[in-house]
Amino acid sequence: MKSYITMYEDEIKVRIPRIVSIQTNLTNVCPQHCIMCNKPEWAKIQTGRNAALDPIHTANELNSMPDLETVVLSGGDPMNYKHLQEYLNAIREDISFGMFTTGLDNHTNRYSDLPLERFGYIRFSIDGNTPETWAKIRGSSERAYDIAWNNVIAVAGKFKQIFGNLLGKEKIRVQYTIQSENIREFPDMVDKCFRHDIPIYGYWVHDYNVVSEEQVKELRFILNTMITRPGIGKWCQQWTNVYDIVETGDSVPIILDASKCVIPLVHAFIDTDGSVFTCCYLVGDNLPFDKRDLSLSYGNIYEKHLQEILSKESIEKISVSRINNDNPICKSCISAKSRYYKVNLEAHNMRYRRPTFL
C-alpha cells in the first residue's frame, strides 16, 4: 500500500496537528449536473462572496501555513473558477497542486494553460464508457464525452512529456464512480484506459443508484477473467484498483474506528464561503444544501486567520465531540472505500504493528 502519513508518525502518535494538505472548493459552478450531486443547487443558493473563494485572500491564508505541502482544487469544477490562474500564481512555489475535474474546460480556463509542472495529480471524473451512459449520469451532453476524453489524453501526454513516462503516468487518473447505471461498462472502461495507458480507479457510490450484490458478483467475475489476458493483468495491478475490487468487491477489509480518524491531524477543507472543515465528508459536499452543518466547521477564513482556525484546540474540540462512530457521516467514511479510508487504514496499521527486534 502506498504510504501517505508514516513520515508524520511522531505527531500522529501524540495527536499533534501538522496540516500538510488543504482542499479548496473554489466554486460550486460546474458544466455538469450529476445525478448523485447537489452542487447545482448550492450554486443557486450561495451568491456573492459565498459563491466562490476570493483568490488572493485564500492564497495568502494558505501561504501562512508553515507545513503546507499540497493544495487540492475542487468545486463544482475548478476549471469553471474564473480566478483560477490568479489563484495558482499567488500560492507559494513550494506548494504542489492536485485537482478534481470533469474533463471539460472552457474559454476562460484551458487544461493546456495549467502549470502542470506544479501538479502532483489531476483526477478526471468519467462515469461511463459510452456517451449515452456518461451523459445520463453526469447530466451532460453526449457530444461532450469525446471532448472530456480527449482532454484526458492530452493532459496524460503533457504529464509524460514533463515528468517522463512513469512519473507522468502516476499524476493522472480516471475516477469512475461505480453505480447501478454504469457498473456493466466499468470493465470496458478499464480496457479503454489500458489501451491508452491511463490509470483508472473505480469508486463505489453508496447513496445513489446503489449496486446489488448480484451486480458486484458479476463485475468481480468479469474483471477476474479480464486480468488473465496477456499484458492487462500486470498493468491493472500497477495502475488500477481492479485487483482490490476482485478480492473484496465493495466491502472493506477492516471496519475502522472513526474516533481514531487521523484526517484532522494532517488535512483541512475550505468551502466556497470560506468555512473550514476537516474533510469533504463533514462539509456534506454532495448533499442537499440544507443538510450542511456549520457546527462541524472550525471557523471562517474571512473572520479569522487560518492558523488560528486550525489550532490544536479547535481541531481537538471538533474531533472529540463530533468525529466518532455515533456520527453517521464518519461511520459511513470508515466502513466504506472512501477517499480517506486508505489513510486511516495506514494509521491503523501503524498503531497495531509489531515492535521491531533486531
Side-chain angles (χ1 to χ4, degrees):
M1 185 174 72
K2 185 176 181 180
S3 175
Y4 292 89
I5 54 168
T6 52
M7 64 286 288
Y8 314 119
E9 183 174 0
D10 290 343
E11 290 96 333
I12 288 171
K13 280 181 176 177
V14 292
R15 304 288 299 181
I16 295 177
R18 182 178 177 184
I19 305 301
V20 296
S21 174
I22 294 180
Q23 182 174 343
T24 55
N25 254 10
L26 300 175
T27 176
N28 291 322
V29 177
C30 183
Q32 299 184 328
H33 295 76
C34 299
I35 56 177
M36 62 282 190
C37 178
N38 287 277
K39 273 305 171 77
E41 174 199 352
W42 289 43
K44 294 175 184 176
I45 295 171
Q46 289 186 302
T47 58
R49 192 194 71 175
N50 293 337
L53 282 173
D54 179 277
I56 300 303
H57 182 87
T58 307
N60 288 339
E61 290 300 312
L62 294 171
N63 291 340
S64 73
M65 299 298 291
D67 299 311
L68 191 61
E69 299 173 359
T70 60
V71 169
V72 177
L73 318 172
S74 58
D77 193 323
M79 301 304 289
N80 276 248
Y81 179 56
K82 64 180 181 180
H83 307 293
L84 182 60
Q85 295 296 339
E86 181 183 12
Y87 180 65
L88 298 179
N89 291 336
I91 293 174
R92 286 194 337 243
E93 289 188 1
D94 63 313
I95 294 175
S96 298
F97 303 123
M99 181 165 71
F100 297 106
T101 183
T102 62
L104 299 175
D105 52 16
N106 55 36
H107 67 280
T108 303
N109 296 313
R110 311 287 294 181
Y111 293 105
S112 57
D113 296 331
L114 293 172
L116 290 177
E117 65 281 355
R118 291 188 64 182
F119 275 76
Y121 70 77
I122 295 182
R123 306 290 188 242
F124 289 91
S125 297
I126 309 290
D127 298 330
N129 188 54
T130 64
E132 296 79 14
T133 299
W134 177 81
K136 184 176 182 180
I137 290 176
R138 304 295 301 182
S140 190
S141 165
E142 291 180 15
R143 65 180 181 273
Y145 180 80
D146 288 338
I147 296 173
W149 180 248
N150 287 336
N151 278 330
V152 173
I153 293 173
V155 172
K158 189 67 175 178
F159 270 142
K160 291 176 183 178
Q161 180 182 337
I162 295 171
F163 298 101
N165 186 65
L166 185 62
L167 185 56
K169 192 157 49 172
E170 290 177 353
K171 292 179 178 290
I172 191 167
R173 180 185 298 171
V174 167
Q175 298 201 155
Y176 188 111
T177 53
I178 302 174
Q179 50 195 281
S180 62
E181 297 275 6
N182 67 6
I183 188 169
R184 286 180 175 271
E185 294 183 14
F186 181 65
D188 292 331
M189 192 66 187
V190 172
D191 186 69
K192 183 175 183 176
C193 287
F194 167 64
R195 287 183 277 110
H196 288 86
D197 200 22
I198 295 172
I200 177 173
Y201 271 54
Y203 292 91
W204 302 93
V205 171
H206 287 276
D207 55 1
Y208 192 93
N209 283 340
V210 178
V211 296
S212 69
E213 188 176 331
E214 282 303 309
Q215 285 178 311
V216 176
K217 184 178 179 180
E218 180 185 20
L219 176 63
R220 293 170 75 184
F221 176 80
I222 294 171
L223 292 176
N224 195 40
T225 303
M226 171 186 284
I227 58 181
T228 63
R229 287 167 32 202
I232 194 170
K234 185 177 180 181
W235 183 86
C236 282
Q237 196 165 26
Q238 186 170 5
W239 301 108
T240 77
N241 66 336
V242 164
Y243 277 77
D244 182 43
I245 293 173
V246 168
E247 291 168 8
T248 62
D250 59 346
S251 63
V252 294
I254 300 171
I255 295 182
L256 303 172
D257 184 350
S259 67
K260 291 184 168 59
C261 179
V262 298
I263 300 302
L265 302 176
V266 293
H267 178 69
F269 183 107
I270 305 177
D271 205 9
T272 53
D273 64 353
S275 299
V276 184
F277 294 81
T278 295
C279 63
C280 68
Y281 270 64
L282 292 188
V283 77
D285 209 24
N286 290 324
L287 297 175
F289 187 79
D290 60 7
K291 301 292 185 184
R292 191 169 184 253
D293 186 356
L294 283 175
S295 71
L296 295 169
S297 171
Y298 298 128
N300 192 294
I301 61 170
Y302 298 122
E303 299 168 2
K304 191 186 291 187
H305 289 302
L306 190 56
Q307 282 198 65
E308 297 176 64
I309 293 172
L310 293 174
S311 67
K312 185 176 186 295
E313 293 72 27
S314 295
I315 291 172
E316 279 183 349
K317 182 179 178 181
I318 294 292
S319 296
V320 171
S321 64
R322 306 301 296 275
I323 302 178
N324 52 56
N325 296 307
D326 294 328
N327 186 336
I329 300 172
C330 298
K331 187 66 176 177
S332 171
C333 179
I334 52 84
S335 59
K337 289 180 178 173
S338 76
R339 59 181 294 215
Y340 303 115
Y341 178 85
K342 57 186 179 291
V343 179
N344 277 311
L345 180 60
E346 183 183 343
H348 172 88
N349 292 335
M350 282 193 319
R351 282 192 295 270
Y352 294 103
R353 71 186 184 189
R354 293 183 306 165
T356 301
F357 291 98
L358 300 177

